[in-house]
Amino acid sequence: MRKASYSFRFPMSKTELLPGAIYIPVHIIVLDFLVPLVMKAAAPSASQYWSDLVYFSVSFLFILIVMHSYLARSFTDLVQCRMDALTAIVVGYFGYYIARWLMSLIFWIVGWNGFPAVTGILSQVRLNSGVMPIVSIILAPIVEEVLFRGVVFGGLRHKSRALAYIVSFLVFGFYCVWSRFFSGFGWELLIDFLYYLPVSLALCWCYEKGGSIWAPVLLHMLINILSISLTITP
């Protein structure tokens, strides 16, 4: 007889979870400081785009070395749960845009219409349509989903579903805007932080219901592909 309750799949072992949790602050803070310094010393004329490529490549390499078994087991789950994953991706995609539209409407009502951090990212893509799509479509979705949905959400999901959603959003939102804390805290920073709530919830839900970390990875890629396509299209 089939179980009535949904059983969350989390094939990450403790030997993968612990290094992943330790690496998260390295990815968010240490590499963000270290990579630009190294790039400036090694290649002074290199643009910010190459620094971003190196930044995500380092974390991608870490994930491949430490969590290759998790990725392989999750891919097996993706194949076995392909209809659940496809449904989660489709529902998550439309759910994300509906939630973002509602949030944008609320911000418009209160008189706020811009998201500086997001606008800056799309501007980088527009200025460099070669390197940035590689980072945004391939490297960033894999790195960010494994760390923020795989390690954070997945690691907490069995303890508390609500806590997993909340902490995953807080860590992911902080990661997306933390460098702007040095320019001072204000409403703009808070609005930018809240902007990442819909996508964080959609990706966590997609992982929870899709049966594999590859479900939110594919959803993340899809969201970025459409955003980039709209950005670089004349």
Side-chain angles (χ1 to χ4, degrees):
M1 183 176 179
R2 187 175 180 178
K3 294 173 64 177
S5 60
Y6 177 82
S7 179
F8 175 65
R9 300 176 182 85
F10 184 59
M12 185 179 292
S13 66
K14 291 182 179 180
T15 56
E16 296 166 326
L17 182 60
L18 180 58
I22 294 174
Y23 186 76
I24 287 176
V26 175
H27 174 73
I28 296 177
I29 300 175
V30 177
L31 286 183
D32 196 44
F33 276 121
L34 189 59
V35 170
L37 293 176
V38 174
M39 289 295 293
K40 186 175 181 180
S45 60
S47 65
Q48 174 65 35
Y49 318 120
W50 291 104
S51 181
D52 291 339
L53 180 62
V54 172
Y55 172 77
F56 280 102
S57 295
V58 171
S59 291
F60 181 72
L61 183 61
F62 167 83
I63 288 172
L64 286 183
I65 294 173
V66 177
M67 301 182 179
H68 59 276
S69 296
Y70 167 66
L71 294 175
R73 291 190 295 270
S74 294
F75 186 79
T76 300
D77 288 339
L78 176 67
V79 174
Q80 294 176 347
C81 307
R82 53 189 176 275
M83 291 308 300
D84 289 339
L86 179 60
T87 301
I89 291 169
V90 173
V91 175
Y93 177 79
F94 286 104
Y96 159 65
Y97 277 104
I98 292 171
R100 198 180 79 164
W101 179 82
L102 290 174
M103 178 169 284
S104 298
L105 178 62
I106 294 172
F107 289 160
W108 177 79
I109 292 174
V110 300
W112 184 261
N113 300 315
F115 302 98
V118 177
T119 303
I121 293 172
L122 294 180
S123 298
Q124 290 183 34
V125 172
R126 188 180 296 110
L127 292 172
N128 193 300
S129 58
V131 175
M132 287 306 293
I134 296 175
V135 172
S136 300
I137 296 173
I138 300 175
L139 297 179
I142 294 176
V143 170
E144 292 173 359
E145 293 316 303
V146 170
L147 294 180
F148 301 116
R149 256 60 65 177
V151 175
V152 179
F153 180 82
L156 293 172
R157 174 60 178 75
H158 290 297
K159 297 180 180 179
S160 170
R161 185 169 185 250
L163 183 65
Y165 274 93
I166 293 171
V167 175
S168 180
F169 161 62
L170 292 176
V171 176
F172 183 63
F174 174 77
Y175 157 70
C176 292
V177 304
W178 86 274
S179 60
R180 297 184 59 223
F181 275 86
F182 296 104
S183 59
F185 180 84
W187 286 110
E188 290 186 2
L189 182 61
L190 178 60
I191 295 298
D192 263 2
F193 178 78
L194 292 176
Y195 177 87
Y196 292 97
L197 177 60
V199 69
S200 179
L201 294 179
L203 291 168
C204 286
W205 185 88
C206 184
Y207 182 30
E208 183 180 36
K209 300 300 182 182
S212 168
I213 191 61
W214 289 105
V217 167
L218 293 173
L219 174 58
H220 198 151
M221 289 178 174
L222 179 62
I223 291 172
N224 286 0
I225 286 172
L226 266 72
S227 298
I228 290 173
S229 298
L230 294 174
T231 301
I232 63 179
T233 299

